[in-house]
């Protein structure tokens, strides 16, 4: 079975790293931000990076760059820009041009026919416009696909919000995940590996990590620059206005 992945909206490669650590190989990365592309190329010199808007790349071009044919990829993964659905933003959703990138993810899945897919986004996507974005994704990702005289269909699990802190990351970061496969197999989301400190002994699991766990061993920092001090003064107001 193939372990090659098509990565969309790759950013600096954070999601890709997780899949690589799980034993997969990133065959191609598609990313529009030039700085992110520079980071990907620097960290992964052998990675094929398609730099540009995903709308400008056909699925055939993406497959060709990855050295794959339809049905051969293990997964298509990605997190389309989340600002249109963020609880801290204007929440324009599908009316925002970036919201249409959800449809580009669907397009690539349907035309490349990987064994499965993983899409992640902010939890605000679930309830935008009374759930219309969620229903669009579930409906479109579940539609039958005809290819070379055969019909394929993805079995899509109910989307679920997972919090990174529950899996050993020193950050409370909630994201909703949409997972599906065309083998008809049921999917079960992983159980949390870490729990709040008051539950750790009772459940016999490690407690949530904190910032000190993550960076406590680093050397003492230099004195903050004038720019850093100026930005720090805006944090309180930003939290009050936007929640972050």
């Amino acid at each position: 079975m193939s372990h090659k992945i098509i990565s969309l909206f790759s950013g600096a490669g954070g999601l890709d790293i997780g899949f690589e650590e799980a034993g997969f190989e990133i065959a191609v990365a598609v990313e529009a931000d030039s700085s992110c592309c520079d980071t990907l190329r620097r960290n992964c010199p052998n990675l094929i990076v398609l730099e540009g808007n995903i709308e400008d790349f056909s699925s055939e071009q993406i497959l060709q760059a990855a050295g794959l044919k339809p049905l051969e990829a293990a997964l298509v993964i990605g997190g389309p820009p989340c600002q249109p659905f963020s609880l801290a933003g204007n929440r324009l959703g599908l009316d925002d041009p970036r919201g249409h990138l959800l449809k580009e993810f669907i397009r690539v899945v349907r035309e490349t026919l990987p064994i499965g897919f993983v899409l992640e986004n902010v939890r605000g996507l679930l309830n935008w416009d009374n759930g219309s974005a969620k229903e669009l994704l579930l409906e479109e990702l579940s539609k039958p696909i005809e290819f070379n005289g055969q019909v394929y269909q993805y079995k899509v699990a109910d989307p679920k919000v997972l919090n990174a802190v529950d899996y050993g990351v020193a950050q409370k970061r909630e994201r909703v995940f949409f997972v599906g496969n065309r083998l008809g197999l049921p999917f079960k989301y992983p159980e949390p590996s870490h729990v709040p400190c008051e539950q750790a002994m009772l459940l016999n699991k490690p407690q949530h990590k904190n910032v000190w766990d993550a960076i406590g061993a680093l050397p003492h920092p230099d004195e903050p620059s004038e720019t850093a001090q100026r930005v720090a003064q805006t944090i309180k107001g930003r939290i009050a206005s936007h929640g972050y």
Side-chain angles (χ1 to χ4, degrees):
M1 182 180 292
S2 171
H3 286 75
K4 293 188 175 182
I5 285 179
I6 294 171
S7 171
L8 308 179
F9 314 103
S10 304
L15 188 61
D16 297 357
I17 290 172
F19 278 95
E20 288 180 325
E21 291 184 351
F24 291 92
E25 174 190 348
I26 308 301
V28 64
V30 183
E31 173 56 44
D33 187 283
S34 59
S35 296
C36 287
C37 290
D38 289 343
T39 299
L40 291 170
R41 294 186 183 105
R42 183 177 181 85
N43 291 337
C44 310
N46 297 322
L47 176 63
I48 297 172
V49 179
L50 297 182
E51 181 175 345
N53 295 323
I54 191 171
E55 305 98 309
D56 297 332
F57 295 108
S58 68
S59 298
E60 183 179 359
Q61 288 175 305
I62 294 172
L63 284 170
Q64 184 176 14
L68 297 168
K69 297 178 181 178
L71 300 172
E72 289 186 345
L75 295 168
V76 168
I77 66 172
C82 59
Q83 296 95 326
F85 304 101
S86 173
L87 296 175
N90 293 324
R91 308 209 62 203
L92 296 175
L94 295 174
D95 296 327
D96 187 306
R98 294 166 298 183
H100 291 286
L101 296 179
L102 287 173
K103 298 177 182 177
E104 292 297 318
F105 183 93
I106 295 168
R107 186 256 302 177
V108 175
V109 168
R110 292 180 61 84
E111 294 178 356
T112 62
L113 285 167
I115 295 171
F117 62 82
V118 178
L119 183 152
E120 64 90 16
N121 215 284
V122 292
R123 67 176 302 160
L125 183 149
L126 288 177
N127 59 15
W128 180 83
D129 195 20
N130 296 319
S132 65
K134 179 186 103 172
E135 294 306 319
L136 168 69
L137 278 170
L138 293 176
E139 178 183 348
E140 293 297 321
L141 288 168
S142 301
K143 283 182 177 179
I145 305 162
E146 293 187 17
F147 178 73
N148 282 355
Q150 294 194 45
V151 177
Y152 300 90
Q153 189 167 16
Y154 285 91
K155 182 180 179 68
V156 186
D158 290 335
K160 185 172 183 178
V161 175
L162 303 179
N163 194 332
V165 74
D166 292 332
Y167 298 90
V169 178
Q171 180 188 26
K172 293 181 178 179
R173 182 181 179 89
E174 291 186 318
R175 289 293 184 269
V176 61
F177 288 83
F178 292 76
V179 180
N181 71 86
R182 58 173 170 77
L183 303 181
L185 300 175
F187 176 79
K188 183 179 180 181
Y189 292 93
E191 293 294 326
S193 59
H194 291 63
V195 296
C197 60
E198 62 271 15
Q199 300 176 15
M201 185 174 295
L202 177 65
L203 298 177
N204 194 29
K205 286 187 175 182
Q207 69 181 40
H208 286 165
K209 293 184 178 180
N210 55 37
V211 175
W212 184 256
D213 294 327
I215 65 173
L218 293 177
H220 291 294
D222 297 332
E223 288 296 321
S225 65
E226 291 184 9
T227 300
Q229 293 184 31
R230 185 173 67 253
V231 171
Q233 299 302 315
T234 70
I235 293 176
K236 185 175 181 180
R238 194 163 70 243
I239 292 174
S241 300
H242 305 294
Y244 67 92

